[in-house]
Amino acid sequence: MDLQHIGLIGYGEVGKTFALGLQSQPGVASVGAWDLKFAQAATREAERAHAAQHGVTAHASAAALCTACDLVISAVTASHTLEVAEEVAPHIRPGTLFLDLNSASPGTKQQAAALIDARGAHYVEAGVMTSVPPYGIRVPMLLGGAQAPALAAVLQAWGMDATPVSEQLGVASAIKMCRSVMIKGLEALVIESYTTARQYGVEAHVLPTLAETFPSIDWEKQGSYFFSRVVQHGQRRSEEMHEAARTVREASVEPLMASAIAHKQAAVAAMAREGVFAGLPKDAPWQDYADRVLAHLAKDQGAL
């Protein structure tokens, strides 16, 4: 499998990380990207400048990227997973590998695959199993699809942690989504529990009881991390949890918890957009985040 020209659909945090990390890999001749921000007046100059500075070709459209690339990687937010496949399908060349990194349900991935495979290209799903930034392109990924083993071999040669789990589409995504219900659920539970405890002034009693039950977890440190991640990426997490809810529903289970988690993540994301957490460093203690939430709710009389 000869993959010399790589294109990223989506030039956000994940897209930039992969674009920069893949450039230096053996056999890679070029890395390009397409993002709507390349065409929007408010972001065009800065995003294109970033790409140029780092040796990434900023393509004029998804069609132009598809014409130039052997491997197309979709790295957008969950709600745009199928939309990207729809945009790419008319232009992707037969034999091209399409790697879908997005956090979407098995059903959504299967719909996207049908569009790509119908054009003679090869769809491979990826379940990205943890946050990308600490790992870069070496973030653990599970791959699914008929070409998953062959693509995994190439990615592994590039130093990536890619494991093929099934040639059946949907398995890798099911693993990812079921995990997300737990991980994003813990984030939502911590934010709700800690903020409520802070309001009642009982956090000094609550956290020690958590440590007693789960002594391997540093609940102070974990609380701060969870707050910071949701404040930074709540919108993306909310979209992912809507796909997790879809995953649960596709299994004929009522997604009561997954839907509530999506709502909680979205509520924090809305506060972040309103500037509720402006000025707080990423490593701020959880109490600072909770105090901002409580002050906002007292002012707004909303409901977190």
Side-chain angles (χ1 to χ4, degrees), residues 191 194-195 198-199 227 231 267-268 271-272 274-282 284-301 304:
I191 288 173
Y194 283 30
T195 302
R198 186 74 168 164
Q199 176 73 342
F227 267 94
V231 166
V268 177
M271 290 185 187
E274 292 177 36
V276 170
F277 308 103
L280 279 183
K282 293 179 182 179
W286 71 263
Q287 291 90 340
D288 290 354
Y289 286 103
D291 287 345
R292 294 288 187 94
V293 172
L294 291 169
H296 173 77
L297 295 178
K299 176 182 176 182
D300 193 51
Q301 294 299 306
L304 176 62

Side-chain angles (χ1 to χ4, degrees), residues 143-267:
L143 304 187
Q147 293 298 317
L151 180 57
V154 175
L155 301 184
Q156 289 165 8
W158 291 342
M160 298 173 68
D161 185 357
T163 304
V165 292
S166 177
E167 294 189 8
Q168 178 183 345
L169 281 171
V171 174
S173 294
I175 296 169
K176 160 69 174 179
M177 291 289 96
C178 291
R179 179 182 185 276
S180 292
V181 173
M182 289 297 296
I183 299 301
K184 273 64 176 184
L186 284 173
E187 292 175 348
L189 287 170
V190 163
I191 288 173
E192 186 165 298
S193 173
Y194 283 30
T195 302
T196 304
R198 186 74 168 164
Q199 176 73 342
Y200 281 107
V202 298
E203 63 268 28
H205 299 278
V206 172
L207 269 66
T209 68
L210 296 177
E212 182 179 350
T213 305
F214 301 101
S216 64
I217 299 174
D218 183 333
W219 288 96
E220 282 281 344
K221 183 178 180 180
Q222 198 66 51
S224 299
Y225 178 74
F226 281 163
F227 267 94
S228 69
R229 294 301 291 173
V230 177
V231 166
Q232 287 179 263
H233 303 295
Q235 185 58 43
R236 188 169 72 195
R237 281 162 150 70
S238 175
E239 291 185 17
E240 179 178 324
M241 287 314 301
H242 282 298
E243 284 294 321
R246 188 191 304 273
T247 301
V248 175
R249 193 175 293 111
E250 288 170 359
S252 301
V253 178
E254 185 65 26
L256 299 176
M257 299 302 297
S259 297
I261 296 164
H263 176 76
K264 181 69 70 178
Q265 298 271 358

Side-chain angles (χ1 to χ4, degrees), residues 6 11 31 86 98 133 140 194 233 260 269 278:
I6 301 171
Y11 197 60
V31 175
E86 291 171 341
F98 183 94
Y194 283 30
H233 303 295

Side-chain angles (χ1 to χ4, degrees), residues 3 7 34 37 45 70 74 110 126 137 197 215 230 252 279 281:
L3 303 176
W34 159 247
K37 291 180 291 187
E45 185 175 346
D70 312 306
S74 180
Q110 289 161 358
I137 65 168
V230 177
S252 301

